[in-house]
Amino acid sequence: LPSMQTSGSKPCPCPSFKLREVASMYLTMIAVFLVILVVALQGSAPRGSDFPYKVPLDPQGLLELSWNVSYPEQAVHFQLLIKDLQFGLLFGMSDRGEFENADLAVLWSDGHNSYFGDAWSDAKGQLHMDSQQDYQLLGARRAPEGLFLLFRRAFSTCDPKDYLIEDGTVHLIYGILEKPVHSLQAINISAIHRGLQRVQLLKPNITVPELPSDMKTMEITAPNVVIPSQETTYWCYMAELPDGFPRHHIIMYEPVITAGNEALVHHMEVFQCAAEFDSFPHYNGPCDSKMKPDRLNYCRHVLAAWAMGAQAFYYPEEAGLAFGGPGSSRYLRLEIHYHNPLVFKGRHDSSGIRLYYTATLRRYDAGIMELGLVYTPVMAIPPGEDAFVLTGYCSDKCTQLALPAAGIRIFASQLHTHLAGRKVVTVLSRDGRERQVVNADGHYSPHFQEIRMLKEVVAVFPGDELITTCTYNTEDRSQVTVGGFGILEEMCVNYVHYYPQTQLELCKSAVDPGYLHRYFNLVNRFNDEEVCMCPQVSIPQQFFSVPWNTFNRDVLKSLYGFAPISMHCNKSSAVRFPVRVASQP
């Protein structure tokens, strides 16, 4: 299973299979009868500083997860606050938030005693006690807020039934038991109140830079929004910098969440508008409304991005993100994604992002560069694919031309695809060899995108290559998916945040269109159904007429793997550096 750790996924001191078999009966007996006296334990709440990361698990905010990460121990410590405990709960992890093939910690009560154990679910959702107990219970205590449950889990356990905790997105799942159960096997996961929450569990251990004494703050918040009574809403609000606002550096930002709405505000972004327009209309409403002015589509330069579970974002002490001053628009667009699955009505919200900025400019301007694939229909994914791979290149020729001799330093990254994206990774290659992973997310979700600070700053020098690979799933689609801007089209992008800023803003590729034309010729030669290749027929139309048999799929995969690529090595003015077609590495 892709989401479960196998004994070969990391070298660990695992017992042999036969030894584990012998031990399993003893371990299972202990686990089933592990009683915790949660009712009898009274005390104060654990200190919040011990668990710096926090996220609500459910839309009502009845379950609140806090955690810390110990890299020396290679373990995560969890604190789960249950505000209204009934007869127990399930908490765990799975590949994409499924309750089948999941790795679970289960607290359950038969009405008399309470039990805790490490469990797993099979492909049918049936629960089983794990023979190796890797969710280690550390304590349980009652407080005025509710029941605090503390437990520990190693990143890697050598248990084939356990989830391997890795960098990137983790799909957390929960289920609430509303009736007593007499055994773990009696829990019917399809009949309980359940849900999922996405987080980045393994936060980077970054030292917070010292902030300057002249630092000021600015809150970009949507004023008194009545959250629509529907599951998903994207809300847009236009803000404006003061007249004559001089050039500053943003050095930090953090979320501002209206109290009580922590479970509804899913993610937020602040965009700066294009400087080519003198003014932008005021707007405060749904982003998909017909009343939204079209000009707001020109507000796309990201200044800040936050997603649920993220903390404050800090720029390195030697760099800041410039805004204000000549050549910079005074207009900003705040976009808030409200996730309201319980369809609450009449909830008011004034959330947003607080920017911390300074007039004392730091040594370097930070920049944002797009890596990956060009937004073009020449890159396509056939229907019915479980893991189709596309790769975009920032070539050695481009970095040789565009980067300074001392190179650049990448300190943060935001991965991006549309709905079919499942994995994204960017690697640094030097002299034809992969040297370093820039950012990777093996459980990527298009519903959870945030700017993530990297654990280590990545140095990129002239002549290096940055290779971004995306994996897609189109099993639920009957038509081909082409590249483009539409939500049902696809993208493969890594927005890397770096310093010092250069003229290079976009470093991406696509397959050479001439070789795609040869592909359509080949399809016509070997298939009964003819693909129309008339000049007036668009590339998407040609793809839509391809019969997606095994041969046509395999040839397209080969084309994307070996055909020459067209490089887009663009300056911020959209003028290209003189780099064109190149062979794939």
Side-chain angles (χ1 to χ4, degrees), residues 304-360:
W306 172 90
M308 194 179 278
Q311 283 197 309
F313 182 93
Y314 294 90
Y315 281 85
E317 59 187 358
E318 59 270 35
L321 186 65
F323 81 133
S328 175
S329 174
R330 293 195 300 114
Y331 295 91
L332 309 176
R333 175 168 65 90
L334 171 67
E335 182 175 302
I336 303 176
H337 173 199
Y338 294 110
H339 181 57
N340 184 13
L342 299 182
V343 196
F344 292 121
K345 294 182 179 179
R347 295 286 284 271
H348 289 252
D349 184 71
S350 297
S351 296
I353 289 179
R354 182 182 295 118
L355 304 176
Y356 292 74
Y357 61 97
T358 175
T360 307

Side-chain angles (χ1 to χ4, degrees), residues 531-582:
V531 177
C532 183
M533 297 171 57
C534 323
Q536 67 271 26
V537 174
S538 68
I539 287 175
Q541 286 174 305
Q542 292 181 64
F543 267 124
F544 288 138
S545 62
V546 171
W548 290 109
N549 54 43
T550 303
F551 175 79
N552 291 344
R553 292 171 188 270
D554 290 346
V555 174
L556 185 66
K557 290 176 186 176
S558 298
L559 174 83
Y560 288 149
F562 301 108
I565 57 175
S566 172
M567 269 304 306
H568 290 241
C569 187
N570 293 14
K571 301 180 182 181
S572 54
S573 59
V575 175
R576 288 195 193 182
F577 287 92
V579 177
R580 295 293 182 182
V581 177

Side-chain angles (χ1 to χ4, degrees), residues 253 269-270 301-305 313-316 319-321 365-371 408-415 438-439 450-454 456-458 460 494-501:
Y253 61 82
E269 291 185 271
V270 175
H301 177 69
V302 177
L303 288 185
F313 182 93
Y314 294 90
Y315 281 85
L321 186 65
D365 283 346
I368 301 172
M369 187 191 307
E370 286 189 41
L371 307 177
I408 60 171
R409 305 293 184 269
I410 299 175
F411 61 89
S413 161
Q414 182 182 19
L415 306 174
V438 178
N439 193 7
E450 59 181 350
I451 301 174
R452 291 177 179 166
M453 293 178 282
L454 303 183
E456 296 179 356
V457 171
V458 177
V460 185
N494 184 356
Y495 299 97
V496 291
H497 295 243
Y498 72 97
Y499 67 88
Q501 186 178 30

Side-chain angles (χ1 to χ4, degrees), residues 113-343:
N113 293 314
S114 297
Y115 305 87
F116 179 92
D118 182 343
W120 57 275
S121 63
D122 59 27
K124 295 182 178 179
Q126 180 64 50
L127 296 187
H128 305 270
M129 186 61 64
D130 201 331
S131 59
Q132 186 174 311
Q133 292 290 294
D134 293 305
Y135 282 106
Q136 300 169 3
L137 182 66
L138 303 177
R141 64 178 69 181
R142 281 200 177 277
E145 301 93 326
L147 173 71
F148 285 91
L149 200 63
L150 280 73
F151 51 98
R152 175 188 183 277
R153 169 68 152 71
F155 299 170
S156 174
T157 65
C158 300
D159 184 342
K161 300 298 183 186
D162 282 356
Y163 181 96
L164 175 62
I165 300 176
E166 300 174 289
D167 291 332
T169 303
V170 177
H171 291 71
L172 302 176
I173 56 177
Y174 66 88
I176 297 171
L177 302 180
E178 297 171 328
K179 298 177 181 178
V181 289
H182 297 289
S183 69
L184 183 76
Q185 288 73 21
I187 298 173
N188 178 5
I189 62 171
S190 63
I192 62 174
H193 173 65
R194 63 187 194 176
L196 76 93
Q197 182 63 281
R198 300 176 182 93
V199 299
Q200 180 198 20
L201 272 185
L202 301 188
K203 302 287 188 182
N205 188 14
I206 290 175
T207 303
V208 175
E210 188 174 340
L211 299 174
S213 57
D214 68 342
M215 180 181 68
K216 296 180 180 179
T217 64
M218 175 188 301
E219 292 190 359
I220 312 296
T221 56
N224 201 28
V225 174
V226 179
I227 300 175
S229 53
Q230 58 192 36
E231 181 170 348
T232 299
T233 300
Y234 283 84
W235 193 271
C236 284
Y237 171 69
M238 290 297 293
E240 195 175 333
L241 298 176
D243 270 330
F245 186 78
R247 182 178 172 87
H248 289 79
H249 269 166
I250 297 172
I251 55 175
M252 170 190 167
Y253 61 82
E254 64 184 358
V256 180
I257 310 292
T258 299
N261 292 342
E262 292 84 358
L264 300 180
V265 179
H266 187 270
H267 69 258
M268 302 182 287
E269 291 185 271
V270 175
F271 300 91
Q272 189 166 34
C273 300
E276 63 203 68
F277 296 100
D278 292 333
S279 66
F280 281 80
H282 292 287
Y283 183 72
N284 186 27
C287 299
D288 59 356
S289 169
K290 293 179 180 178
M291 301 299 292
K292 188 191 82 170
D294 290 340
R295 187 168 285 191
L296 269 61
N297 295 329
Y298 291 90
C299 306
R300 298 177 59 179
H301 177 69
V302 177
L303 288 185
W306 172 90
M308 194 179 278
Q311 283 197 309
F313 182 93
Y314 294 90
Y315 281 85
E317 59 187 358
E318 59 270 35
L321 186 65
F323 81 133
S328 175
S329 174
R330 293 195 300 114
Y331 295 91
L332 309 176
R333 175 168 65 90
L334 171 67
E335 182 175 302
I336 303 176
H337 173 199
Y338 294 110
H339 181 57
N340 184 13
L342 299 182
V343 196

Side-chain angles (χ1 to χ4, degrees), residues 91-103:
F91 167 82
M93 298 167 261
S94 68
D95 182 29
R96 308 206 65 80
E98 316 92 338
F99 275 76
E100 296 76 30
N101 302 315
D103 176 17

Side-chain angles (χ1 to χ4, degrees), residues 435-455:
R435 297 300 178 101
Q436 191 173 358
V437 174
V438 178
N439 193 7
D441 196 339
H443 301 276
Y444 171 85
S445 169
H447 304 292
F448 184 64
Q449 302 181 37
E450 59 181 350
I451 301 174
R452 291 177 179 166
M453 293 178 282
L454 303 183
K455 289 180 180 176

Side-chain angles (χ1 to χ4, degrees), residues 347-418:
R347 295 286 284 271
H348 289 252
D349 184 71
S350 297
S351 296
I353 289 179
R354 182 182 295 118
L355 304 176
Y356 292 74
Y357 61 97
T358 175
T360 307
L361 301 182
R362 291 180 166 181
R363 182 179 178 186
Y364 299 116
D365 283 346
I368 301 172
M369 187 191 307
E370 286 189 41
L371 307 177
L373 287 173
V374 181
Y375 309 130
T376 169
V378 303
M379 307 302 295
I381 307 146
E385 293 284 342
D386 66 336
F388 194 87
V389 174
L390 293 177
T391 299
Y393 298 89
C394 176
S395 72
D396 52 352
K397 294 182 178 65
C398 184
T399 61
Q400 190 72 56
L401 276 173
L403 298 189
I408 60 171
R409 305 293 184 269
I410 299 175
F411 61 89
S413 161
Q414 182 182 19
L415 306 174
H416 178 73
T417 75
H418 285 173

